[in-house]
Amino acid sequence: MSKPLSDHDRKKQISVKGLAGVENVADLKKNYNRHLHFTLVKDRNVSTKRDYYFALAHTVRDHLVGRWIRTQQSYYEKDPKRVYYLSLEFYMGRTLQNTMVNLALENACDEAMYQLGLDMEELQEMEEDAGLGNGGLGRLAACFLDSMASLGLAAYGYGIRYEFGIFNQKISSGWQVEEADDWLRYGNPWEKARPEYMRPVHFYGRTEHHPDGVKWVDTQVVLALPYDTPVPGYRNNIVNTMRLWSAKAPCEFNLKDFNVGGYIQAVLDRNLAENISRVLYPNDNFFEGKELRLKQEYFVVAATLQDIIRRFKASKFGSRDIVRTDFSTLPDKVAIQLNDTHPALAIPELMRVLIDEEKLPWDKAWDICIKTCAYTNHTVLPEALERWPIDLFQTLLPRHLEIIYEINRRHLERVSSRYPGDMDRLCRMSLIEEGGQKRVNMAHLCIVGSHAVNGVARIHSDILKATVFKDFYEMDPHKFQNKTNGITPRRWLVMCNPGLAEVIAERIGEDFIRDLDQLKKLCDFVNDEAFIRDIAKVKQENKMKFAVHLEEHYKVKINPNSMFDIQVKRIHEYKRQLLNCLHIITFYNLSDDYVMLNSSQAAPGYHTAKMIIRLITAIGEVVNNDPVVGDRLKVIFLENYRVTLAEKAIPAADLSEQISTAGTEASGTGNMKFMLNGALTIGTMDGANVEMAEEAGEDNFFIFGMRVEDVDAMDAKGYNASEYYNHMPELKQAIDQIAGGFFSPKQPDLFKDIVNMLMHHDRFKVFADYQDYIKCQEKVSALYKKPKEWTKKVILNIAGSGKFSSDRTISQYAREIWGVEPTLEKLAAPDDPK
């Protein structure tokens, strides 16, 4: 396979990477050497590749610090309304290249490293991914941080600094094996510990009711130590902050009553407190009601609210004098966005602070709370909704439970005055679920305690209003909004696909990077032969590069001219990786030129998901070793899918698989990344696919399968898998092969659980969409044989992807929920006079 053009040579021609001025390069080399010799190596005589990476990271970081300080200073001086984005997950990936892109340093750094005899790409590969998220929800938070900084919002991301992020996935004999992700092992050059802002967080204890108010006493204290990471906007000199909390035991932890024998044990027990920030729960779209998880949720909320209130009270930069005491202005200065229900405790915690500590009357406090908080819902799957047992609450957070009861009492009073005598409605709308074990419904708490509730794609927001939250919508229709998700074009185009960014910039200039709607101008070039050739050439180069990567890492030789058909996302029954498997098997039974790539993690406790991975690897073992098929079809399961692997795979994709059962995927964001990077989509009318098809034109989209109405109708009449099995010979053959051990000859009944699920209790109706999916895949194959027609549709998809920038999403949140105005104004650079 011929190696693609050297990256260094190609990068030098790419204007979107910033200018490599001679002075700039000389300065970078000087600073780089200073860091290498003084910051890192010191009295060691030998440098490692990791030293070279750290020296580069520190050199680039130097360019952030002045901007960071100046940005925060300007916020203190102007005192704008601040936005606090609370999330239990921030799936950031790597930071080095993204920082270089946003500061326009990429070409200068590249040239400096080249002159020093170092390979930029090798250095970038040294960086660990910050994998502090499971999938879409955590990656969305990361894209939002980039957009908030790029739009000049005074915004902060608040979360937990997990010592271990999403597990590293190994595939061993076809099975997923989890390994701890020790991402901080070598240190993290992008974070700064801020022990001066350490905050106490209380757990357990009991409440005392006095005439002058309620006291929460006899608590256990854990300290929250903040670590700040800079978040640079795109070439506007603004640098915002992501603050992640780490748990520390207080010095006197368990030592108050120690005797000589108990001292060692007391010190060892400090681990128990510090376990709070030890590890990310690896569940996506699934609620696991564990005490440690509830502790994590309260920990981030309690620490963050102390910070929010300290900042609200303080006036100017560098001053901690309390100046503001009137809390009625809090909603004018603070917006809190809850990323799903995980930070829902912000509502009772804010009430606790206002009532118990600041001594506000309930009605005043509640009005402030509602005006300050807003809630984003991310799923309609019942198993994902957080419902915490009352007894766990009572033990861990007794005061918060009292506050929730009072919120509920007043809420139900309001419901019954609106709907007198409607007891069913009272039951449905209560924050407390009765029956069996009593539970707190966190979504209901969020809706009642927020002024805005949004879904993340138009169809999802409509489903919320029509079904899951119907009663709440009927009572408070003004609260419900839609905010279709988006992705940052900096990471997901300029950074991961510079070749495509450059081809676009040559035709329409570089402004699209800040204003992605400008991609519409590409419609004018859909019949331009040179442009069609350029787009196809970039895709081919990306495929060749990824083919080299696959050969190195998976020892599979693949033909870069075959279609790269990719489904990458968390494994879940609703995402229907099994439908893809059935297509692969059917296709294998007929055969054509294809590379099928599937990838992602299964939650460690999700048996079916792990079996789905084993099925994919088993199909690969058979298909990839079949001499009759040869190179025409390859099936590869990509191990350890993460942000960095997505950045390699997505630019190489021809076909994007977005095949969830209609009504189950809230939005999806991977779908948008594929569209922006020149893949065509095969998908159901679900999540953001609906709006993507609208933007690109349905003729340029491969739509198949039941619509939400069809799924509802089928639910009403009942779904019978065996009818499909008995009436479709190709489907029957595929299922019989799986069931009969064709793909697991040494263990013929290996996949009996999967077959049993598909035949008897498949909530997501895989067989119902099978025939339409296969027909649609035949259309895909036919079009792929007409490269020019294919590429024209690719161009129209790229041209239609502007709506799916997270800049558009964040501008809508800012104006319609937070009450702040985005700006494209630049801050003066640190070396400019103010």
Side-chain angles (χ1 to χ4, degrees), residues 14-18 98 100-104 106 143 146-151 232-236 487-506 508-522 676 798 801-802 804-808 824:
I14 293 185
S15 66
V16 292
K17 288 177 173 282
N98 185 245
M100 294 190 297
V101 165
N102 280 11
L103 298 185
E106 206 177 359
C143 283
D146 181 89
S147 286
M148 290 188 290
S150 296
L151 292 167
Y234 182 71
R235 300 184 188 182
N236 62 358
I487 56 171
T488 170
R490 273 73 62 183
R491 183 176 292 265
W492 295 111
L493 179 56
V494 179
M495 185 182 128
C496 73
N497 201 344
L500 179 57
E502 189 62 14
V503 164
I504 294 169
E506 281 166 5
I508 65 171
E510 280 182 39
D511 287 352
F512 72 91
I513 299 169
R514 265 197 202 79
D515 174 15
L516 207 60
D517 277 328
Q518 294 196 23
L519 291 178
K520 286 198 174 78
K521 296 177 185 169
L522 294 178
L676 181 59
I798 296 169
S801 63
F804 306 104
S805 167
S806 49
D807 295 345
R808 186 266 317 151
L824 292 176

Side-chain angles (χ1 to χ4, degrees), residues 697-746:
E698 291 199 7
D699 293 348
N700 305 307
F701 227 75
F702 296 103
I703 301 165
F704 74 94
M706 299 181 286
R707 309 300 199 254
V708 169
E709 309 76 63
D710 306 318
V711 175
D712 291 344
M714 183 167 289
D715 280 332
K717 95 170 184 10
Y719 163 67
N720 182 354
S722 19
E723 279 180 27
Y724 298 93
Y725 172 82
N726 290 321
H727 289 101
M728 296 177 194
E730 289 173 349
L731 172 63
K732 184 176 189 302
Q733 181 187 3
I735 292 294
D736 291 350
Q737 284 171 312
I738 296 170
F742 182 86
F743 297 105
S744 53
K746 290 182 183 152

Side-chain angles (χ1 to χ4, degrees), residues 238-308:
I238 285 173
V239 181
N240 284 342
T241 302
M242 174 178 68
R243 176 163 285 182
L244 302 180
W245 300 100
S246 182
K248 286 286 284 174
C251 289
E252 70 277 12
F253 186 79
N254 276 4
L255 291 177
K256 286 186 280 298
D257 45 11
F258 83 89
N259 50 46
V260 177
Y263 164 70
I264 295 289
Q265 194 54 48
V267 174
L268 298 183
D269 284 346
R270 292 169 60 85
N271 272 324
L272 300 174
E274 294 171 1
N275 277 335
I276 291 176
S277 56
R278 195 80 66 203
V279 59
L280 168 75
Y281 272 85
N283 299 318
D284 190 66
N285 277 299
F286 183 77
F287 170 59
E288 184 174 4
K290 295 281 194 289
E291 181 179 26
L292 181 61
R293 171 67 172 191
L294 187 57
K295 274 186 177 165
Q296 289 181 339
E297 292 183 353
Y298 180 62
F299 175 75
V300 65
V301 151
T304 300
L305 273 162
Q306 290 178 69
D307 238 14
I308 291 174

Side-chain angles (χ1 to χ4, degrees), residues 568-582:
V568 284
K569 49 185 76 244
R570 282 298 290 256
I571 306 274
H572 199 297
E573 288 160 78
Y574 86 82
K575 293 177 186 282
R576 298 202 295 192
Q577 280 91 356
L578 286 171
L579 182 57
N580 196 346
C581 288
L582 292 177

